[in-house]
Amino acid sequence: MRSTGIVRKLDELGRITLPIELRRNLDVAERDPLEIFTDEDTIILKKYNPADIFTGEMDNLIEYKGKKVSKNSIIELSKLAGSSIEE
């Protein structure tokens, strides 16, 4: 992990502002979703990229009932169910 040398204080609502240079370098736009991770005493922010709920694959995604599923997973699941899907 690299230090940016940037220090920010939380406001009264617990918010921080990410500097514009950091947002530009990481391609984070206004209203982009960020995932929050913790590792002991460390907080990690990561730009959220939806992925297949089964494999983590990020290509050819289809949304079903609020979840992302790849076409490959759908094909594999149809085989498990005894059906076949033609591509």
Side-chain angles (χ1 to χ4, degrees), residues 32-66:
D32 277 353
L34 299 175
E35 271 187 290
I36 302 169
F37 298 91
T38 60
D39 184 13
E40 294 183 19
D41 65 345
T42 303
I43 300 169
I44 302 164
L45 297 176
K46 182 179 177 188
K47 188 171 178 178
Y48 176 70
N49 288 315
D52 182 301
I53 60 171
F54 299 109
T55 64
E57 187 177 339
M58 296 176 69
D59 297 322
N60 298 316
L61 296 177
I62 296 170
E63 186 165 333
Y64 178 70
K65 295 190 177 185

Side-chain angles (χ1 to χ4, degrees), residues 5 9 23 25 38 43 45 49-50 60-61 72 74 83 86:
K9 290 185 179 183
R23 287 181 277 148
N25 288 341
T38 60
I43 300 169
L45 297 176
N49 288 315
N60 298 316
L61 296 177
N72 289 337
I74 293 170
S83 300
E86 292 184 28

Side-chain angles (χ1 to χ4, degrees), residues 17-33:
T17 302
L18 299 177
I20 189 72
E21 300 85 14
L22 191 58
R23 287 181 277 148
R24 285 180 183 151
N25 288 341
L26 299 175
D27 192 30
V28 176
E30 187 176 310
R31 303 277 182 211
D32 277 353

